[in-house]
Amino acid sequence: MQRPVAVIGLGSMGSMALWQLSRRGVPAVGFDQFPLGHMNGAFSGETRMFRTAYSNGPHWVPALRRAKELWRTLEAESGQALLDLNGFVSIGDRAADRIASLIGCATAAGVEIEMLDSTEARARFPAIGVEPGEVAVLDKAGGLIKPERAVMAALDQAQASGAELRPSCAVTGIEPDEGGVTVETPQGRARFGAVILATGAWSQRFLPPGLVTPHRVGLHWYLSRTPDLFVPDVFPPHIRYVGGRAVCLFSSQDRTMVKAAIGGSLGPLDAPMDARTAAPWERAPLSKAIARHYPGLWPHPVRSESYADGFTADGDGVIGPLPWAPRVLVAAGFSAHGFKIAPVVGAALADLLIGGMTAMAIGHLRLSRFEGRSPGLRALA
Ligand SMILES: Cc1cc2nc3c(=O)[nH]c(=O)nc-3n(C[C@H](O)[C@H](O)[C@H](O)COP(=O)(O)OP(=O)(O)OC[C@H]3O[C@@H](n4cnc5c(N)ncnc54)[C@H](O)[C@@H]3O)c2cc1C
């Protein structure tokens, strides 16, 4: 009998990998240190932004398009509504670098966008203050994903296809050898044919120092004075690029509160769980931006949460086998922008495990790009 695959980490990437492996008939066992759907993951916090026009470059677009198809597949198989695609808007000075690269990306990759000046944008999205001289770029295929529901839907589907789930079971060590990998937990040791490491901000335990480090990402909720103006149809998720910062706002999920964030890392952490208690210095600049551009919101957060994500030196995730242990595949370091492609990562991991290659457009995320640059990877290779 084929020896099962161990998927370590049942968060964003691990849940998708387990779903993809089990729907292809590969026996798999999934481990997580916390209960399923816990509130400490990089998938926590209600909503994640999805878009296809990406200022990070046109090389992202094929993976983003494929991700949308796979999200729809997961919706169809699970019967769960996971996507809310009412469009995604990027706002900034027309000459700002991020706006220029976004438009360049859309043009190069043939992504449908609509450019709105401040008058047109205010007419369409009355609660979003777009200033004269700013432009709003509407990505019609963008919107929101429900991350906790997506993770649980993928785990349900995996289990229905035969995967075994071991929640509240932390993996304390892995020992790869020529014939397989031994996985150690407080409950004992077990042999597997291969391992997928999808341990997010906790990945340092298994990887060379410095390759993936934990950083804090914060979320804040503001009360709306005019709830009707903050629902998805008229208040799509959007990013405003201002003064080197990205201010992100999300459509209200409950007609009461609107989530906002300063995009990206808010600083490195000694340990992932420190994210939950770190001082939220970002409240003041965020509330200032809210007061200026969103008069329909009270500019004082009524709820704040922060979470850890794994970050790499170049701000993109790493996917692929460890050079010294080809039966151990890593998917980590998605640096606060990986959720949107999670099912592509899961499918790529399943492809790599089954056939050693993948047609998923993840070339820019290969772990091998760090082989010449990461001292740890060089030393251990
Ligand atoms: C607040 C926030 C907002 C974000 N916003 C967006 C967005 O709008 N759009 C977007 O595309 N991306 C966004 N991201 C990024 C995206 O959500 C993350 O990149 C992605 O969720 C990372 O997935 P992951 O699987 O690597 O980590 P996680 O989802 O955290 O999963 C890691 C799992 O591994 C488990 N684990 C770790 N160590 C062990 C062990 N030893 N044994 C067993 N289990 C273990 C953990 O418990 C956890 O469940 C955001 C991230 C954050 C934190």
Side-chain angles (χ1 to χ4, degrees):
M1 199 184 95
Q2 192 182 355
R3 212 181 262 153
V5 173
V7 177
I8 305 177
L10 297 178
S12 323
M13 308 305 165
S15 62
M16 299 300 149
L18 202 68
W19 168 51
Q20 286 289 328
L21 286 169
S22 37
R23 77 197 286 274
R24 300 180 202 188
V26 176
V29 180
F31 295 84
D32 204 287
Q33 60 189 340
F34 297 125
L36 302 182
H38 62 86
M39 58 187 91
N40 302 310
F43 60 86
S44 308
E46 211 170 62
T47 45
R48 290 288 180 272
M49 291 175 163
F50 179 81
R51 46 207 164 122
T52 50
Y54 216 34
S55 56
N56 299 39
H59 56 286
W60 274 87
V61 175
L64 292 165
R65 286 185 169 135
R66 185 75 183 110
K68 185 173 160 186
E69 292 169 1
L70 289 172
W71 284 123
R72 290 295 188 207
T73 304
L74 181 57
E75 280 188 321
E77 291 183 4
S78 66
Q80 296 290 329
L82 306 175
L83 300 179
D84 195 353
L85 301 184
N86 283 285
F88 182 92
V89 179
S90 303
I91 300 167
D93 193 290
R94 189 180 282 267
D97 287 352
R98 298 300 292 265
I99 294 293
S101 47
L102 181 74
I103 296 168
C105 161
T107 310
V111 175
E112 193 186 351
I113 54 170
E114 196 179 337
M115 304 273 286
L116 307 171
D117 65 22
S118 61
T119 313
E120 292 164 333
R122 279 169 179 271
R124 185 100 64 104
F125 313 121
I128 307 178
V130 180
E131 298 190 5
E134 286 186 327
V135 64
V137 184
L138 173 64
D139 173 355
K140 293 184 176 171
L144 289 177
I145 315 169
K146 313 275 167 54
E148 292 96 341
R149 183 175 287 270
V151 166
M152 293 310 291
L155 293 177
D156 260 6
Q157 290 311 110
Q159 204 170 20
S161 304
E164 188 186 328
L165 306 185
R166 294 203 194 152
S168 305
C169 183
V171 171
T172 49
I174 55 169
E175 286 167 25
D177 57 49
E178 299 233 318
V181 187
T182 302
V183 168
E184 195 172 287
T185 72
Q187 280 87 53
R189 292 159 66 85
R191 288 283 288 165
F192 291 91
V195 157
I196 288 177
L197 272 179
T199 40
W202 290 263
S203 297
Q204 291 187 115
R205 166 177 222 144
F206 303 103
L207 298 178
L211 183 63
V212 174
T213 52
H215 283 240
R216 192 171 76 85
V217 187
L219 302 172
H220 304 274
W221 282 258
Y222 292 82
L223 275 176
S224 60
R225 302 176 205 263
T226 48
D228 288 351
L229 295 185
F230 291 91
V231 295
D233 286 354
V234 285
F235 192 81
H238 56 280
I239 292 187
R240 177 187 295 278
Y241 296 107
V242 51
R245 281 210 176 107
V247 175
C248 311
L249 276 97
F250 299 72
S251 327
S252 180
Q253 299 299 296
D254 62 359
R255 299 180 70 85
T256 301
M257 291 194 278
V258 171
K259 190 176 82 173
I262 289 180
S265 166
L266 299 172
L269 297 163
D270 290 334
M273 291 306 281
D274 292 349
R276 310 291 274 132
T277 50
W281 62 264
E282 73 275 13
R283 273 190 198 169
L286 190 57
S287 295
K288 200 170 150 203
I290 299 281
R292 176 164 179 172
H293 292 113
Y294 305 91
L297 298 177
W298 273 287
H300 316 284
V302 290
R303 178 184 161 198
S304 295
E305 301 280 350
S306 60
Y307 304 95
D309 198 4
F311 277 66
T312 61
D314 65 9
D316 283 332
V318 286
I319 303 172
L322 290 175
W324 62 94
R327 288 171 184 272
V328 178
L329 265 74
V330 179
F334 291 92
S335 309
H337 68 121
F339 199 86
K340 55 181 79 60
I341 57 153
V344 163
V345 176
L349 289 165
D351 291 343
L352 290 169
L353 259 180
I354 294 165
M357 59 177 77
T358 182
M360 299 287 151
I362 51 131
H364 56 297
L365 302 176
R366 294 266 180 191
L367 172 64
S368 51
R369 76 184 186 278
F370 281 108
E371 270 174 42
R373 290 194 270 156
S374 160
L377 272 184
R378 217 172 26 238
L380 290 166

